[in-house]
Amino acid sequence: MLFHALGLGLLSALVQTGSAANIFVSHYTGVVYTLTLTGSTLTQNSTVTLGGQPSWMTFNSTDRTLYVADETGSGSASVWSVAAATNGGLKQSGKASAPLGAVANVQYGGGNYLASAHYQTSIISTHKLPLSGSALQTFSLTMSARGPNSRQDAPHPHETIVDPTEQFILAPDLGADLIRIYRIDASTGKLIACTPYTDTPGTGPRHATFWGKNVLYVGNELANSVHAFTVSYPDGGCLTLTKFQTITTMPGGKAAPSGTKVGEVRVKDNSLYASNRRDLSFSPNDSMAAFSLDTSGTMTFQAITTSGGTYPRTFQINKAGDMVVIGDQTTANVVVVKRDVATGALGPQIASMRIGVAGHAENDDGLSAVLWDE
Ligand SMILES: *[C@@H]1O[C@H](CO)[C@@H](O)[C@H](O)[C@H]1NC(C)=O
Ligand SMILES: *[C@@H]1O[C@H](CO)[C@@H](O)[C@H](O)[C@H]1NC(C)=O
Ligand SMILES: *[C@@H]1O[C@H](CO)[C@@H](O)[C@H](O)[C@H]1NC(C)=O
């Protein structure tokens, strides 16, 4: 009898872990949500109100902490940490003051520091963790001349990422057409600027992702393309990049429709994805572009599929590789699509849920970011 009850308990625990997954969502109205996906149903699990304009999240699954960037553009801005309980509960656990206009962050230095990109104020900042007080460092970025695109009036760093050796931070700078490179001082957590990679004028690099140690992909918001780079680590020197391929995010190598702005890029196994914001390829919805990667990392365009809403600002593939969560900013809906583990193909849609108030095209409102809780 006792054995029987234990057996049933174990079985039901297995069924639950196999079928439910949680998703974190940030909304520009100042709220972070946990959603639960059960089969093909999304439900709201819990929320925490941070205030400001949450624009991006980084999740550390070891200590279950979310680091939330604040895009607030006037007055004062913060960076928050949120403790995410295994039961879905969210609670603010820390806060520091930060430069205005943050759009991304990343944890580095054995979990002891956070580096953030501030688009509006042309700043890269670092904070010591846990968060309190103010920034450890702020780099005010400069550029020698305006770029060809009207948005290239000043440096506009859009993301901070750590390389796989954890010795460098890279920051695509949309305004300056640079991939900024910093060496991490392991003893102080401080960043030391290296020579940046200079890209073609008008490229507008926004997001980047490593594929192994020696390949980097960068999604370009202004040129609506993806660049592939070989990454080298000279002995005792700074990381260097060598571009080896450029590809557009549209079928047949076509240029994206005017008004399109490539969003995030992500890799999984031998697949690469980029989100096309405002391409309206599946009108009124936008699209996700998928590429296959050969053993050297060379990209081949595969397909575009619907993003299930407009302005897919962020997306993430789950660890199992069988689902992708997409955050459509303007329509403020979270979409989960199936991913074919063998081919990398996306679709069909599994679930969609509207979160909070919808945004307005081209505004910093609506839904900002999505991440799997794993
Ligand atoms: C919240 O998520 C946890 C963890 O997956 C789950 O056990 C719980 O049932 C969820 N609660 C709601 C209200 O969805
Ligand atoms: C996540 O947190 C753990 C525990 O604090 C830390 O050891 C680890 O380095 C962190 N991970 C990252 C990627 O910073
Ligand atoms: C657009 O997205 C919505 C919500 O996900 C979906 O119901 C609709 O079928 C989509 N339409 C197209 C043409 O992709």
Side-chain angles (χ1 to χ4, degrees):
M1 199 57 199
L2 179 60
F3 178 78
H4 187 68
L6 277 174
L8 278 178
L10 187 63
L11 183 65
S12 90
L14 283 174
V15 167
Q16 273 168 23
T17 53
S19 63
N22 282 1
I23 293 167
F24 301 118
V25 181
S26 59
H27 196 287
Y28 272 118
T29 49
V31 183
V32 173
Y33 299 75
T34 304
L35 308 183
T36 298
L37 175 70
T38 312
S40 58
T41 307
L42 275 170
T43 49
Q44 186 176 308
N45 189 310
S46 65
T47 67
V48 63
T49 299
L50 300 174
Q53 285 188 269
S55 57
W56 174 270
M57 300 177 291
T58 292
F59 181 53
N60 183 320
S61 59
T62 306
D63 60 15
R64 300 198 54 83
T65 303
L66 284 161
Y67 294 97
V68 185
D70 180 6
E71 201 170 342
T72 295
S74 64
S76 60
S78 306
V79 51
W80 301 275
S81 59
V82 172
T86 48
N87 70 0
L90 299 172
K91 193 168 175 278
Q92 185 184 309
S93 58
K95 180 180 172 171
S97 71
L100 300 173
V103 288
N105 60 33
V106 72
Q107 201 178 2
Y108 71 96
N112 292 310
Y113 303 93
L114 194 74
S116 308
H118 304 263
Y119 180 97
Q120 181 198 325
T121 47
S122 310
I123 287 172
I124 301 282
S125 73
T126 62
H127 281 84
K128 174 101 179 78
L129 299 178
L131 293 171
S132 71
S134 57
L136 175 68
Q137 271 179 304
T138 54
F139 288 90
S140 289
L141 309 179
T142 57
M143 59 196 235
S144 49
R146 296 177 72 104
N149 187 292
S150 61
R151 290 178 59 200
Q152 298 183 305
D153 57 329
H156 291 303
H158 218 302
E159 191 182 18
T160 41
I161 71 166
V162 183
D163 82 296
T165 72
E166 299 181 29
Q167 292 178 287
F168 301 96
I169 300 266
L170 272 59
D173 183 335
L174 180 148
D177 288 320
L178 297 175
I179 314 289
R180 305 213 181 238
I181 302 168
Y182 299 88
R183 169 192 285 289
I184 300 166
D185 178 330
S187 61
T188 63
K190 290 194 172 173
L191 305 184
I192 302 142
C194 297
T195 306
Y197 175 86
T198 303
D199 217 322
T200 312
T203 297
R206 175 184 171 102
H207 279 293
T209 185
F210 281 88
W211 187 63
K213 195 176 158 220
N214 296 106
V215 177
L216 179 79
Y217 299 102
V218 179
N220 304 312
E221 173 170 350
L222 302 181
N224 291 311
S225 61
V226 180
H227 287 171
F229 299 89
T230 302
V231 186
S232 305
Y233 302 85
D235 257 358
C238 283
L239 173 159
T240 61
L241 301 173
T242 310
K243 198 194 296 174
F244 69 87
Q245 194 188 1
T246 298
I247 195 165
T248 80
T249 57
M250 287 285 140
K254 286 208 193 81
S258 141
T260 305
K261 297 172 177 178
V262 161
E264 189 158 28
V265 288
R266 296 268 190 188
V267 285
K268 177 71 179 174
D269 302 331
N270 296 324
S271 300
L272 170 74
Y273 304 91
S275 60
N276 286 314
R277 297 175 301 162
R278 206 142 183 88
D279 67 318
L280 298 171
S281 288
F282 299 87
S283 185
N285 300 332
D286 293 331
S287 73
M288 300 289 300
F291 307 86
S292 59
L293 305 175
D294 73 8
T295 52
S296 65
T298 299
M299 307 171 277
T300 301
F301 179 88
Q302 266 188 322
I304 52 170
T305 51
T306 181
S307 62
T310 61
Y311 237 73
R313 178 180 170 84
T314 67
F315 64 94
Q316 192 188 38
I317 305 132
N318 66 356
K319 285 207 177 113
D322 59 357
M323 290 189 286
V324 177
V325 62
I326 302 167
D328 287 302
Q329 181 182 344
T330 308
T331 41
N333 62 320
V334 170
V335 170
V336 178
V337 299
K338 198 173 151 32
R339 176 179 178 273
D340 187 312
V341 178
T343 65
L346 302 186
Q349 186 177 104
I350 295 170
S352 170
M353 185 187 186
R354 165 76 178 278
I355 308 295
V357 293
H360 304 86
E362 314 292 325
N363 269 30
D364 293 331
D365 55 10
L367 191 159
S368 53
V370 290
L371 285 179
W372 292 101
D373 171 0
E374 56 176 17

